[in-house]
Amino acid sequence: MSTPMVGWKDLPMAAVPFLSAKEYPTGEWAVFQPKIDESKCVKCGLCWMYCPDSVYRWDGEGVPVPDLDHCKGCGICAVECPTKAIEMVRI
Amino acid sequence: MVAKAVWRPDIKELARIEGQKRPVESGHRLCAGCGAGIIIRQIAMAARKPLVWINATGCVEVATTIFPYTSWNVPWAHNAFENAAAVGSGVEAARKKLARVNRFEGDPDIELDYDVIVLGGDGGTYDIGLQAISGAFERRHKIMYVLYDNEAYMNTGIQRSGGTPFGARTTTTPVGKVIKGKPLFKKPIMDIMVAHGIPYAATVSPAYWNDALVKFRRGFETEGPVFIHAFSTCPLGWGSAPEDTVKIMKLAVETCVFPLYEVVDGEYRLTGPSVSIAKNPDRKKPVEEYLKLQGRFRHMFKPENKWMIEKFQEWVDRQWETLLKRAGY
């Protein structure tokens, strides 16, 4: 006989997603992705604040670094950057 | 009761904390340029205690937990449109009961000191979930209900909701010979919620992040039900460019389509840029600047539909005048 089926009492109460979304590369959606000119960056952190995808990694000190595996290329950071240090380049 | 000391968010400190905790992980499948993605991050940034996150059906729920992936590093539950506020009430009531009977006293794995946040879209708040919210507010549960208002049922295909503004094109209010977009105005959701006599209610635009974070934190600190109306641009449904998301959020405040204010125990107070517009009425921009960036209002710019812009402007002016009177200007 095959292995016994799992009874309903052994199942979780609801569907439980078990993988972190960071394993899903939404960066594949992007046509344009940000490139930061480090000499123009004033480290205000607005790109980090306005990113809908929590893509920017910023320790509060240096230049924010975008995680291009997850950047969907919306371009909010390039529009909101006060010194226009961010350029959207075609990938 | 509302706490008196005002928290001042420090962007560098917030960035360090978010880098360590990552409450909302990258890789969710909200559209590029979605405003709701900014709102959920800002709520998590403003948290002072661990969060329990209750999410009504909507874009955020659909896009962040596509099986088997989840973006959440906070305890999170999905429920139907109708009962999000009811589930939030239940979580809060259970916490009180467990704390009272000392059920988990001394258990290092169980933390009972947390804040309950309920997040719903405009469909789940204006239309379907209204009675559960009304009940939760009447029972005075200590929950924070955040409405992210993208002004239609976006995840099912841009159907009109009670939050859709006048003249907006949706798939159920198309632009044609008989009607030109939605013929009716937005439901005054803030007035409805304030009428429940809740201790704190506020409108929030994520573009003004400092103002938004202070209001979210104040919502967490308030003992009692809190309602927060957050404005969320939807590039897909509004026909706007994804990079203009934050620009549109700013213009909505500057044209007074979505003024920023808070209501503390029934007293209205303007905040952020709305204060300077109230003091200098010249700074109020015409609504065209807000409308022209969005494809859903494109038909209003045809010469024969000019009356629609005038009607929209008249509605905005009337709402703004009412708000100014309430805030004592």
Side-chain angles (χ1 to χ4, degrees):
Chain A
M1 290 294 286
S2 57
T3 49
M5 299 275 281
V6 178
W8 64 272
K9 284 180 183 170
D10 302 319
L11 293 170
M13 275 192 287
V16 181
F18 50 86
L19 288 178
S20 172
K22 82 183 150 189
E23 293 172 35
Y24 190 85
T26 45
E28 288 173 0
W29 300 7
V31 180
F32 297 92
Q33 281 191 329
K35 189 166 173 281
I36 303 184
D37 182 347
E38 298 195 4
S39 61
K40 282 192 198 166
C41 177
V42 290
K43 303 169 185 76
C44 64
L46 283 183
C47 51
W48 167 80
M49 175 58 81
Y50 289 139
C51 180
D53 294 302
S54 359
V55 154
Y56 280 90
R57 304 297 159 107
W58 188 43
D59 56 5
E61 307 296 331
V63 178
V65 184
D67 164 15
L68 298 183
D69 289 344
H70 293 108
C71 174
K72 295 169 189 161
C74 61
I76 294 177
C77 48
V79 170
E80 294 304 319
C81 180
T83 56
K84 300 283 166 245
I86 301 176
E87 191 196 350
M88 299 301 286
V89 289
R90 204 183 169 96
I91 50 166
Chain B
M1 292 296 290
V2 175
K4 287 283 177 288
V6 177
W7 172 61
R8 292 193 187 283
D10 172 18
I11 194 167
K12 294 178 177 173
E13 185 67 34
L14 293 169
R16 275 193 289 274
I17 295 171
E18 205 207 33
Q20 288 159 6
K21 291 192 179 168
R22 304 288 294 169
V24 185
E25 193 53 83
S26 313
H28 56 69
R29 278 169 262 180
L30 290 167
C31 306
C34 178
I38 312 175
I39 294 169
I40 54 179
R41 283 184 59 216
Q42 290 184 347
I43 295 169
M45 280 175 211
R48 55 179 184 150
K49 288 179 186 173
L51 288 182
V52 171
W53 200 301
I54 311 296
N55 209 154
T57 307
C59 284
V60 168
E61 175 270 318
V62 169
T64 54
T65 53
I66 294 177
F67 193 80
Y69 299 102
T70 177
S71 295
W72 300 92
N73 287 330
V74 295
W76 183 93
H78 161 230
N79 9 76
F81 266 121
E82 296 87 345
N83 62 353
V87 173
S89 318
V91 170
E92 195 263 352
R95 190 261 313 268
K96 265 203 271 191
K97 173 70 179 166
L98 291 174
R100 199 186 311 141
V101 300
N102 296 327
R103 175 77 182 276
F104 294 110
E105 205 177 20
D107 188 335
D109 293 337
I110 309 279
E111 173 69 74
L112 283 179
D113 192 19
Y114 54 76
D115 285 322
V116 181
I117 153 106
V118 185
L119 183 77
D122 57 300
T125 308
Y126 281 92
D127 302 343
I128 312 174
L130 190 64
Q131 60 169 338
I133 302 165
S134 187
F137 285 3
E138 185 265 326
R139 294 189 299 268
R140 287 292 184 269
H141 289 287
K142 190 200 167 314
I143 57 173
M144 180 160 101
Y145 193 100
V146 179
L147 151 68
Y148 69 96
D149 188 1
N150 50 22
E151 304 193 325
Y153 290 84
M154 293 309 179
N155 94 71
T156 52
I158 322 169
Q159 288 87 7
R160 63 115 44 211
S161 77
T164 308
F166 170 76
R169 182 218 312 264
T170 65
T171 48
T172 45
T173 55
V175 178
K177 280 183 192 146
V178 182
I179 56 165
K180 308 210 179 293
K182 190 183 170 190
L184 305 166
F185 287 97
K186 235 174 133 99
K187 193 192 268 190
I189 194 78
M190 277 297 278
D191 296 350
I192 295 169
M193 294 307 166
V194 169
H196 284 77
I198 54 176
Y200 190 70
T203 59
V204 152
S205 173
Y208 298 98
W209 60 270
N210 203 318
D211 180 76
L213 287 174
V214 168
K215 282 173 177 167
F216 284 133
R217 172 60 75 90
R218 199 160 180 188
F220 283 127
E221 284 169 351
T222 303
E223 292 297 323
V226 172
F227 183 79
I228 292 192
H229 184 180
F231 188 79
S232 167
T233 313
C234 174
L236 177 77
W238 295 11
S240 61
E243 64 265 28
D244 287 341
T245 294
V246 173
K247 200 170 154 190
I248 291 173
M249 286 171 177
K250 284 181 181 162
L251 278 171
V253 175
E254 286 165 0
T255 54
C256 298
V257 172
F258 189 82
L260 294 178
Y261 58 99
E262 55 186 6
V263 188
V264 184
D265 293 321
E267 272 183 41
Y268 284 71
R269 198 172 73 83
L270 297 179
T271 59
S274 292
V275 179
S276 63
I277 296 171
K279 286 179 181 162
N280 290 312
D282 303 345
R283 291 195 188 163
K284 187 173 166 216
K285 294 183 178 171
V287 287
E288 279 97 328
E289 291 194 30
Y290 166 74
L291 302 177
K292 76 182 174 200
L293 288 173
Q294 301 172 39
R296 60 176 177 161
F297 295 120
R298 194 183 295 138
H299 55 283
M300 289 166 113
F301 287 90
K302 285 184 185 160
E304 67 267 27
N305 292 335
K306 209 163 181 300
W307 60 274
M308 294 181 80
I309 296 183
E310 282 159 17
K311 200 170 169 187
F312 199 102
Q313 179 74 59
E314 192 192 315
W315 178 80
V316 169
D317 290 345
R318 204 168 56 238
Q319 299 282 318
W320 176 242
E321 288 300 324
T322 317
L323 181 62
L324 283 181
K325 253 181 234 151
R326 284 175 177 161
Y329 282 93

